[in-house]
Structures are given as C-alpha cells and as structure tokens.
Amino acid sequence: MNEQRPVAGGQQSAGTLITLAPTGAESAKADVPALPVTVEEVAATARDGQAVGAAVLHLHVRDAETRPTLDLPRVREVVAAVRESSDLVVQLSTGGAVTDPADARLAVLDAEPDAASLSLGTVNFGRDVFANPWDLIVELHTQMQQRGIVPEYEAFDLGHLATLARLLDRYGPPAGGHVHVDLVMGVPGGMPGTTAALAACLPALPPGATFAATGVGRTSLPVMLAALSAGGHLRVGMEDTLTYAPGEPVRDNAQLVARAAGLARIAQRPPLTPFQARQLLGIPAETTAAPMEAAR
Ligand code: KMH
Ligand code: ZN
C-alpha cells in the first residue's frame, strides 16, 4: 500500500493525504455560524470529515466564549473528544493566533498530540505579523523530536524552505524520520496561491519529503489542482476557505473535504485513510482500534 514514486525534490504517494483545518484562529463564530468551535462541534466535524476522506485534523482550539485559546486543559479536552469521535491523526497548531506568545505556543505540545504544525518563518499576515523567529523554530523542532511528536512544517514563502534545509542540516530529521511540508499559499503577505509559486517550491523541498498545499480564500481551488498535478497532498477547511463558490458560503467543513476527495479520486490518487496517513508520516499506529477503522 501507499507505493512511493519519486518526483522532483520529494516523493509522490499513490494516495492523497487530506488534512482538515476546520476552525483556525482568525474567523469569528458570530461572522461564520458554521465554524466549529465547541468541543461537540469539533468532535462532530472530525467524525464527518473522516467519513468523506480526511485523515489528519489540524486543530486550533476555542474557549467557551468562542475565542482562540491555548489553555492546556481546554486543548486536552478537545483532543480527547476528537480521539473519541474519529481516528484522525491529531495535529495541534503551534501557530495559534498572531497574538499568542512563544511559550504558550510551545506548551501545547504538553497535550500530547500525534503531530503539530511548525511554521518556518515570520510572515506578514494581513495587517498583522505572524512571528516565527529562528530560536522558536529550533525549540519546536527539538522538543517535538524529544517527545515523538511529528511536525508538519508550514511554509508561507519560498525562503521558508531554505530555513527548513538549514534546520534539518543542523538539528537532524524530525520525529518519525519523514519530512512533510504544507505550503500555505495566498496569505496576504506570503507567497501567492498560484501554480507558478507552487512549482517554484518543488525543487526546494528536502530529498524524500512529501508536501501538501493549502490555498487561502479564492486560491483554494487553483492550489488544490496544482498540488494534485504535482503529486502533492491537500489541506482544506474553514480555517482557510469560507466561500465554496462566488457568492456561496461554505456549508460546513465536510463539504470542503468531499470536494478535495473527489478531485483526488479524479487524479487517481484516492484519499488515504488515517492508518495510511500514519504510515506515510511516520506516526506509530494507535494501540487500540479506534472507532471508525474498527468498524470497517
Ligand atoms: N493562525 C495563524 C496565525 C499554524 O496553525 O501553525 C497561524 C497558523 C499556523 O494557523
Ligand atoms: Zn493553523
């Protein structure tokens, strides 16, 4: 299963890893009623997302007032609820919100996720700045190595991939041994969500790495098609995309996953299961059969 074929700068998989980023830290529940923010809503979103093809959950947590939070008991509660409702690989965001301090971002690793995001550089983020200085990058990388948490390296710009090369050269491979990069495209201040920008990133991927791509806003579809054409994987969800088509708000996260899964099947690289995703990313299989895999 999951046969690997070489492509420029990285590896191509026979299946497509679909990561669901359902919530993010930027949108307000009051503006986007379909955004999952409660423990129950996030757990149901994980279950429904898996049912239509997601394998990984990129998770930002909200508090009881629906505000983004890194509060550890709350993060643990949401992680436990997701593990209860689905088999998805739980990937906690260490990016948080642009206002979150570095120590709180590092502390989410205490919630013992399977995986965590690791942003590779500072980037303008609309009118804000998403700060990722070198020392924080190194601290996240080495702490994840020590704790056996598999990083998803997030690149918002081509130069961030040069930082990744330096990081791996100086500090060695990540937990699990496999390098997986998410190209986050179309952030106002980062690289554009275009085929040309995606193609420019490919030779800069570390040897043997896999990549996914995310297109923010209206770049969602072009980035998805470009990523599939280049043998890449996909990240979709309401963290990045709130409009399904011009004038048509996203109904729910499952709608975005279902569209990605359909395109992956058309590309003859159908969605990977959570079990296959764990194999690809170097995450140990769960010791007990989780709800949905066990039911198959
Ligand atoms: N919310 C953004 C400022 C991550 O999750 O690691 C950062 C972000 C990246 O979403
Ligand atoms: Zn995020």
Side-chain angles (χ1 to χ4, degrees), residues 187-209:
V187 168
M191 63 181 149
T194 61
T195 301
L198 187 140
C201 289
L202 299 181
L205 292 170

Side-chain angles (χ1 to χ4, degrees), residues 24-26 58 60 93-98 117-119 125 130 154 156 235 239:
E26 282 71 39
H58 171 81
H60 290 255
S93 167
T94 66
V98 289
S117 60
L118 198 173
S119 292
F125 209 84
F130 180 34
E154 299 210 359
F156 293 78
R235 181 179 112 174
E239 174 168 345

Side-chain angles (χ1 to χ4, degrees), residues 121-144:
T122 296
V123 64
N124 283 331
F125 209 84
R127 298 179 68 194
D128 298 308
V129 175
F130 180 34
N132 293 289
W134 171 250
D135 287 351
L136 175 59
I137 292 168
V138 170
E139 194 60 30
L140 283 165
H141 180 76
T142 51
Q143 282 208 23
M144 287 192 216

Side-chain angles (χ1 to χ4, degrees), residues 108-196:
V108 301
L109 300 179
D110 290 343
E112 300 174 353
D114 305 304
S117 60
L118 198 173
S119 292
L120 290 166
T122 296
V123 64
N124 283 331
F125 209 84
R127 298 179 68 194
D128 298 308
V129 175
F130 180 34
N132 293 289
W134 171 250
D135 287 351
L136 175 59
I137 292 168
V138 170
E139 194 60 30
L140 283 165
H141 180 76
T142 51
Q143 282 208 23
M144 287 192 216
Q145 278 174 327
Q146 288 156 12
R147 295 162 182 246
I149 297 171
V150 170
E152 179 186 270
Y153 298 101
E154 299 210 359
F156 293 78
D157 228 328
L158 178 57
H160 293 181
L161 296 176
T163 296
L164 177 58
R166 195 161 79 247
L167 182 72
L168 299 174
D169 186 48
R170 294 197 187 164
Y171 294 94
H178 178 72
V179 176
H180 182 68
V181 178
D182 185 36
L183 305 174
V184 185
M185 314 184 74
V187 168
M191 63 181 149
T194 61
T195 301

